[in-house]
Amino acid sequence: MTKIALVTGANKGIGYETARGLGAHGYTVLLGARSAERGWTAAAALREEGYRVDFIRLDVTDPGSVVTAATRIEAEHGHLDVLVNNAGIARYDGSALPSETTLATLCEVYETNLFGVVTTNTLLPLLRRADRARIVNVSSDLGSIALALDPGSPYYPLAFLAYASSKNALNMATACWAKELRDTGITVNAVNPGLTATDLNNHSGHRTPGEGARIVITVATQDAPPTGAFRQEDGPLPW
């Protein structure tokens, strides 16, 4: 049975490189993106490289869009082996300090980074049909409370309320899903790609999208990954 992988927010950056990497592992990749134009262009580029990639319109902030995508996947493939929840945004007010963060900004970031991942519950029936399905949530070490409060951590001076707290909430959601699904054969893990140069940070990261995608691909394709873990390339991260 052909292995099917869905990657959200995959028309660029880490998501695009994840789609490429999964294609290289032999998966048929459904490249999820909000923009049809960008999604079709990205999928076509990967197909030219020889990978089995198809665009699927998917806006994680629109539950109806997720339902439509799930219906299409069921009709065309019947199951889903890998779900990579990669779509994410960062928004800041002023210096991004908690005291300067507006409720509107907080809600906007959570709508994609947490609520958008929750909408993918719609895809769980398709994942249950796979032999050993994988859910990989792309998080951030900025979401680690332990690192945020460690004076020796480079993140100690930072207090990006909206983005950091949304990723911490995603980590807790990962743990909750992992517990619920622990006896189903579906593993659920959070990964940190590291500070990667993407549109999200105005390309200020020191890692390339391909480097950032490596941990995502590793966890998605491992024969026997753990579940309920928070990992980066060189090992586990503190929650």
Side-chain angles (χ1 to χ4, degrees):
M1 184 167 60
T2 302
K3 289 187 176 182
I4 310 299
L6 170 63
V7 184
T8 70
N11 61 284
K12 60 183 178 180
I14 293 170
Y16 182 81
E17 293 299 333
T18 297
R20 171 185 275 133
L22 291 173
H25 276 80
Y27 286 78
T28 292
V29 180
L30 305 177
L31 187 151
R34 290 182 298 177
S35 165
E37 180 181 0
R38 293 175 181 175
W40 281 117
T41 299
L46 291 176
R47 283 198 298 273
E48 287 181 4
E49 295 181 26
Y51 304 123
R52 295 193 302 270
V53 178
D54 195 10
F55 165 65
I56 186 165
R57 188 183 179 281
L58 181 59
D59 179 354
V60 298
T61 67
D62 177 2
S65 168
V66 181
V67 170
T68 299
T71 300
R72 176 182 162 189
I73 295 168
E74 181 173 21
E76 296 182 0
H77 304 286
H79 74 286
L80 190 62
D81 296 277
V82 170
L83 170 61
V84 177
N85 287 307
N86 167 75
I89 64 170
R91 298 286 187 271
Y92 304 105
D93 296 302
S95 64
L97 290 171
S99 59
E100 297 181 7
T101 301
T102 65
L103 182 60
T105 294
L106 198 66
C107 289
E108 182 183 7
V109 172
Y110 268 67
E111 185 177 30
T112 296
N113 295 2
L114 178 64
F115 306 151
V117 176
V118 174
T119 64
T120 57
N121 271 335
T122 304
L123 300 165
L124 270 176
L126 294 167
L127 289 158
R128 291 181 186 274
R129 295 177 188 169
D131 291 334
R132 294 178 298 173
R134 310 281 181 254
I135 298 174
V136 184
N137 295 327
V138 179
S139 185
S140 169
D141 45 7
L142 281 170
S144 166
I145 292 178
L147 292 178
L149 295 177
D150 178 1
S153 165
Y155 301 119
Y156 186 74
L158 307 178
F160 298 148
L161 175 60
Y163 183 77
S165 69
S166 74
K167 291 301 187 180
N168 181 260
L170 176 59
N171 289 349
M172 176 55 80
T174 300
C176 291
W177 272 307
K179 289 193 292 182
E180 178 186 354
L181 299 172
R182 62 182 177 272
D183 298 323
T184 67
I186 302 173
T187 61
V188 190
N189 292 290
V191 298
N192 169 48
L195 187 55
T196 302
T198 66
D199 288 352
L200 185 141
N201 55 31
N202 295 316
H203 298 269
S204 61
H206 62 272
R207 292 169 64 83
T208 67
E211 291 170 336
R214 284 198 301 241
I215 183 61
V216 187
I217 297 162
T218 295
V219 174
T221 59
Q222 276 183 317
D223 285 338
T227 192
F230 181 27
R231 303 171 57 192
Q232 59 186 10
E233 260 199 292
D234 59 2
L237 278 166
W239 296 99

